[in-house]
Amino acid sequence: MVKPDLRDYTRSELAEIIGSLGGKKTCAARVFDCLYRKNAESFDAMSGISESVKGKLAAGYSFAQFPVIGRQVSKIDGTIKLLFAFHDGATVESVVVPGKGRVSACLSSQAGCACGCVFCATGGLGFKRDLKPSEILGQFAACLREAGGVLNSVVFMGMGEPFLNWDNVKKSIIMLSDNKGYNFPQSKMTVSTVGIVPVIKELAQSDLKIKLAVSIITADEKQRAELVPMEAKYPLAEVVEAARYYCLARKAQVFFEYIIFDGENDSPADAEKFIRLIKGIDCRVNLIPHNPVYGAISTLPQSVRVKQFQKLMIAAGVRTYLRLEKGADIMAACGQLAGQGAVSGA
Ligand code: SF4
């Protein structure tokens, strides 16, 4: 039987566990330090903790690293895709994305995804299971190593819909930002959702300092319904209103992501529709040219049309960026993660 993973517990939960084993609760800070700063690989390697507590922790818990069974590096831009395997055989991918003087990690929140967006390779896999905090922190640790110890931002935009595994994702965010552990600022984390309205509203009222990205995908409800099955449950108008509520409640900006499907939603009329939809919301828009994925819609954007679309958005006063996709040659760009593409040892 697999022992519970120490990395599934926040520091205060860990303090309770240590207290119940007869140790001092303050010892939880030292365990966090060993796990996340000193990268201890075994209980023996943990320093500053009594032998008695260490022994009891070792008897009931584990924290083995999850094996990276595949690694691919983009020849175009140096993007690195990692493939992880967990105890039950579930696999997920994470991506390390180098930019101008900065490196981002894109983490997965679920193995597979139940949302079934037709343009997304993960959606084509179906849902396998939610990831636990330890599995999310394990991805972070591996990405940090790949980045040489310095990551500038973390995005929950890998496999899965983070707001459908919100309890575990929230816990991971709290643990990643714990000042006795990685101390990674919440303000440098972004969670992206396809529009799970109740969680957007919950986040609006929470103390978390993370950023929110909402995948609008396209501004036409009928077209969105064909691309995003979740539209039936949370229609676009409700998603946008939830984003507006988030901005007002937190006095914060929201990111909107719009996927450009060549010739489908990139006309001046499409831009006008999008501008009307998000009018008055403090936002930034990322235009993401669609990436072909196996078994899904395959189109490539005409850059002239995309640039014209962007120009219209900017002319209307919307900060709009054309996102240069990274790692498309190794299927590591947006919508391409399928939990099976990395080549072992490459
Ligand atoms: S785009 Fe996101 S929400 Fe939609 S299927 Fe892919 S991973 Fe799931």
Side-chain angles (χ1 to χ4, degrees), residues 45-58:
M46 285 186 169
S47 55
I49 299 156
S50 76
E51 290 304 316
S52 148
V53 169
K54 262 201 281 192
K56 287 175 185 164
L57 281 176

Side-chain angles (χ1 to χ4, degrees), residues 25 90 98 111 113 175 182 195 205 209 217 308 335:
K25 289 187 177 182
C113 183
M175 291 166 72
Y182 289 118
Q205 294 298 335
K209 304 282 185 293
I217 311 295
Q308 188 191 23

Side-chain angles (χ1 to χ4, degrees), residues 113-117 119-124 158-161 194 335:
C113 183
C115 294
C117 303
F119 53 87
C120 171
T122 309
M159 298 170 72
E161 163 53 64
V194 80

Side-chain angles (χ1 to χ4, degrees), residues 14-330:
L14 206 50
E16 291 305 317
I17 291 171
I18 292 170
S20 72
L21 296 175
K24 287 191 187 146
K25 289 187 177 182
T26 49
C27 186
R30 282 200 288 280
V31 175
F32 251 56
D33 182 61
C34 292
L35 285 176
Y36 305 122
R37 293 187 176 194
K38 299 203 168 88
N39 300 316
E41 291 188 356
S42 66
F43 285 99
D44 282 343
M46 285 186 169
S47 55
I49 299 156
S50 76
E51 290 304 316
S52 148
V53 169
K54 262 201 281 192
K56 287 175 185 164
L57 281 176
Y61 300 88
S62 69
F63 63 94
Q65 278 184 20
F66 300 112
V68 175
I69 59 166
R71 180 179 182 276
Q72 278 183 299
V73 183
S74 166
K75 290 190 174 65
I76 301 170
D77 52 45
T79 295
I80 301 167
K81 183 168 76 168
L82 302 175
L83 176 66
F84 297 84
F86 300 124
H87 303 304
D88 60 352
T91 56
V92 299
E93 291 171 333
S94 311
V95 184
V96 180
V97 188
K100 283 183 193 147
R102 48 182 290 111
V103 186
S104 298
C106 176
L107 307 182
S108 293
S109 55
Q110 297 179 309
C113 183
C115 294
C117 303
V118 302
F119 53 87
C120 171
T122 309
L125 294 175
F127 177 67
K128 309 275 193 254
R129 69 169 173 83
D130 287 331
L131 296 190
K132 296 184 291 178
S134 54
E135 293 164 334
I136 294 171
L137 266 75
Q139 292 175 64
F140 177 90
C143 290
L144 190 62
R145 279 196 300 279
E146 288 286 352
V150 181
L151 279 171
N152 303 95
S153 61
V154 164
V155 293
F156 286 87
M157 292 185 187
M159 298 170 72
E161 163 53 64
F163 281 179
L164 292 182
N165 183 23
W166 182 228
D167 285 349
N168 285 341
V169 171
K170 188 166 47 180
K171 203 167 172 182
S172 313
I173 290 166
I174 291 166
M175 291 166 72
L176 286 171
S177 58
D178 191 307
N179 64 9
K180 301 294 181 199
Y182 289 118
N183 198 18
F184 193 85
Q186 289 186 7
S187 58
K188 293 185 176 174
M189 299 185 214
T190 303
V191 177
S192 174
T193 178
V194 80
I196 309 300
V197 169
V199 188
I200 295 176
K201 290 183 178 166
E202 182 196 319
L203 181 62
Q205 294 298 335
S206 84
D207 294 334
L208 295 178
K209 304 282 185 293
I210 57 170
K211 292 178 189 152
L212 173 69
V214 177
S215 296
I216 293 293
I217 311 295
T218 194
D220 181 272
E221 288 196 4
K222 204 162 152 254
Q223 190 181 42
R224 193 173 194 264
E226 286 164 11
L227 295 165
V228 181
M230 198 54 86
E231 171 72 16
K233 188 162 186 190
Y234 301 118
L236 186 55
E238 282 182 30
V239 172
V240 171
E241 279 321 296
R244 192 187 302 278
Y245 171 75
Y246 167 91
C247 290
L248 293 173
R250 299 187 66 124
K251 297 184 178 48
Q253 208 171 56
V254 67
F255 295 84
F256 286 128
E257 296 178 326
Y258 186 97
I259 302 187
I260 299 273
F261 296 95
D262 180 37
E264 300 289 332
N265 66 348
D266 55 358
S267 69
D270 292 319
E272 293 303 334
K273 189 177 259 186
F274 188 25
I275 291 163
R276 276 197 305 278
L277 182 71
I278 59 175
K279 199 171 170 26
I281 300 180
D282 184 8
C283 66
R284 280 173 61 154
V285 166
N286 285 323
L287 300 178
I288 306 171
H290 177 246
N291 289 298
V293 294
Y294 302 125
I297 296 170
S298 178
T299 56
L300 280 171
Q302 297 289 330
S303 62
V304 176
R305 290 167 71 93
V306 177
K307 285 198 174 128
Q308 188 191 23
F309 192 103
Q310 182 187 20
K311 233 167 136 182
L312 285 169
M313 301 284 302
I314 291 170
V318 183
R319 277 156 290 194
T320 306
Y321 302 86
L322 186 53
R323 222 164 78 190
L324 294 173
E325 282 304 300
K326 300 279 185 82
D329 59 326
I330 54 167

